[in-house]
Amino acid sequence: MSGKEKNMFGVFTEEEELLRGEDAPDSEVSVIKVVTEVLGNVKSGTDVSNIPLPASVLDPVSSLEKSKKSMQRGELLPRIPKMETPEERFLGVIRWILSGLPKEKFGKKPYNPILGETFRCCFKHKDPANGVSYLVCEQVSHHPPITATHLNNPSVGWEVNSVSKPEPRFYGNYVEIKLNGISRLYLHDLDEEYHLTRPTVFQSGLLGIGTKRVELMGLSYVVCEKSNLVATIDFKGKSFFGMTGVQHSVSGSIRKLDSDEVIYEVEGVWDSAVKITHVKTGERTTLYSKEESAEDAMHVWLPPESDLEETNSLAVWKKCSDAIWKKDAKLANEEKKAVEDAQRYVQCTSANLLRGLWPQR
């Protein structure tokens, strides 16, 4: 497939696999070694969002780029406004959310975006009537890290706006990353707004104790006041030593917002299949199946290198990413440090300007 897409969001000519960058070669450096050397003196419970990590534990993608994962089964999203009833649309929203959850690799993390870093891409739908969906992200704060994201489809008439405030805390053998913030999906023609929250990410086994795994844990909510519906999804997983529980498992309920009456019970494995049971009738149906929705997968379209802004993630981290792909850890660390040093210089000069301390020429 080839093509060129130009609009208010820019030019997009480069087609890629949506998860490209997460299949980069692994470093031969031990995760345990990195944790003990870099985080060995960090107190338990410390926020580690601003502690630099070596390139050996990095995937060659910025966390801004990770936002595109919400469109792993992006063909599901344009169908939602076309569903007949509020209940069908509500279930459609949950289906899309489950399809776009990030499945991460143990011992790997993306780059921390610099202040003002941006990322943009688009998704071309198979049905011409569904047009093109556009994604734009910006890092609007560095300390603390805050990302603003806008996903838009002018042809179908929906948009998603979100603010993400990740809070990673180190607890020795595991890291807990609270994905604070909220997403709002708005269906223009129906005037329906859905509020979505995210579960917490756990990466455990960093010191070799227990099972090495990355899990989504805790509660996530979906609320639509106009439809009078709320969903509570409880993300679970295996136990500390992996002896009990099911990895990536979920359970929960879909209820009426005003009366708390349960309509559906939810249960399954989010990266495989999730089923719902109608409480009154006992009917059990599949809400989401990764296998059955394979045809809804999408590729991502990126700007050509000649059209990249200086702040675009693909430009900011290009040299570091190239080194990671070449398995040149020394060069990757040098290029990563160069980006971080430039960020510190900008922050320092900006602070001096605010204080009136800009050096005289």
Side-chain angles (χ1 to χ4, degrees), residues 106-336:
F106 174 81
K108 287 288 187 177
K109 70 175 295 294
Y111 305 127
N112 290 334
I114 63 173
L115 180 63
E117 183 177 325
T118 60
F119 176 72
R120 59 185 173 91
C121 64
C122 77
F123 307 89
K124 301 180 182 182
H125 294 279
K126 296 172 185 176
D127 183 348
N130 291 334
V132 179
S133 295
Y134 302 95
L135 174 66
V136 181
C137 311
E138 181 177 353
Q139 192 71 6
V140 296
S141 173
H142 190 61
H143 299 294
I146 301 175
T147 300
T149 302
H150 176 73
L151 181 63
N152 175 286
N153 186 304
S155 298
V156 182
W158 56 259
E159 63 181 88
V160 181
N161 295 296
S162 66
V163 174
S164 177
K165 305 174 184 178
E167 183 185 326
R169 294 191 176 275
F170 177 68
Y171 292 94
N173 191 53
Y174 71 92
V175 172
E176 173 194 83
I177 307 171
K178 291 183 178 179
L179 302 178
N180 302 318
I182 193 169
S183 296
R184 293 178 173 86
L185 166 61
Y186 182 64
L187 307 182
H188 294 178
D189 293 342
L190 296 163
D191 192 29
E192 286 180 358
E193 185 170 85
Y194 300 79
H195 291 191
L196 327 169
T197 64
R198 308 170 184 86
T200 297
V201 179
F202 278 86
Q203 185 160 180
S204 63
L206 298 177
L207 297 178
I209 304 171
T211 305
K212 295 179 181 179
R213 63 194 174 105
V214 183
E215 289 263 28
L216 298 179
M217 305 285 280
L219 297 177
S220 178
Y221 298 94
V222 182
V223 179
C224 180
E225 291 188 2
K226 185 174 181 180
S227 302
N228 191 34
L229 292 169
V230 56
T232 302
I233 309 296
D234 187 6
F235 289 79
K236 302 177 183 179
K238 286 192 174 184
S239 62
F240 182 77
F241 289 103
M243 301 296 289
T244 60
V246 177
Q247 191 170 21
H248 306 318
S249 60
V250 295
S251 64
S253 64
I254 299 170
R255 311 182 309 278
K256 291 185 178 180
L257 193 58
D258 58 358
S259 65
D260 212 33
E261 175 190 349
V262 178
I263 305 171
Y264 292 99
E265 292 179 344
V266 181
E267 189 174 20
V269 178
W270 63 260
D271 71 333
S272 178
V274 175
K275 295 182 179 293
I276 54 173
T277 302
H278 196 283
V279 173
K280 287 186 177 180
T281 66
E283 181 183 7
R284 195 164 188 251
T285 57
T286 299
L287 174 63
Y288 169 69
S289 168
K290 182 178 181 180
E291 181 179 353
E292 293 176 5
S293 64
E295 293 185 357
D296 296 315
M298 302 194 75
H299 281 191
V300 62
W301 288 77
L302 302 170
E305 190 171 334
S306 61
D307 196 50
L308 289 177
E309 308 84 359
E310 289 184 359
T311 58
N312 193 296
S313 300
L314 301 175
V316 171
W317 299 103
K318 184 181 186 306
K319 292 181 179 179
C320 186
S321 294
D322 288 346
I324 291 175
W325 279 106
K326 295 175 182 176
K327 300 186 71 171
D328 190 335
K330 182 176 182 297
L331 180 58
N333 281 318
E334 290 174 357
E335 297 295 349
K336 176 175 176 289

